[in-house]
Amino acid sequence: MTRYEVSVEKDACDGIFACLTRDPRFVEGEDGLATIDPNADPIYDCEGDVTDTPERVVAAFDDDRIDEARQAAAACPTDAIVVEEVGE
C-alpha cells in the first residue's frame, strides 16, 4: 500500500469544512479550523500518526484511502490541504 501524508496549513484554513464531507477523518478542531482525527471515521478502523503544531496538522497513513484525502484537498477552496505520497 502507498504511504502518504496529509497536511492542513492552519493559516490558509478558513473553517469552511468542505473537506469534512469528502473524508470523515477531517473534523473541526478546538480552534474552529479543520484538523485530522484518524479515529473519527465510524466505518473504518483507521490508524495514522498525527502531528499538530500551531502552523499545520500533518497526518501519515498507509491505507488505501488516499483518493478520499485527495478529494478533501480538492474540495478545499483555500487550498489549505496537501496530500503527498511518501513511499510504499
Side-chain angles (χ1 to χ4, degrees):
M1 274 185 223
T2 302
R3 185 159 175 79
Y4 60 98
E5 287 185 349
V6 181
S7 61
V8 179
E9 296 296 327
K10 292 184 179 181
D11 285 346
C13 180
D14 281 346
I16 296 168
F17 303 122
C19 54
L20 275 64
T21 63
R22 304 322 192 277
D23 187 334
R25 296 174 290 185
F26 286 88
V27 297
E28 182 176 354
E30 292 180 12
D31 56 5
L33 302 175
T35 190
I36 304 165
D37 181 358
N39 299 317
D41 189 340
I43 297 172
Y44 293 96
D45 183 18
C46 184
E47 292 185 20
D49 300 319
V50 180
T51 304
D52 191 341
T53 69
E55 294 82 29
R56 72 186 53 83
V57 178
V58 179
F61 297 100
D62 60 359
D63 55 31
D64 60 356
R65 299 177 63 201
I66 191 169
D67 287 337
E68 289 177 50
R70 286 180 174 148
Q71 289 173 14
C76 180
T78 61
D79 295 325
I81 302 169
V82 175
V83 179
E84 296 179 303
E85 290 186 30
V86 293
E88 294 274 333

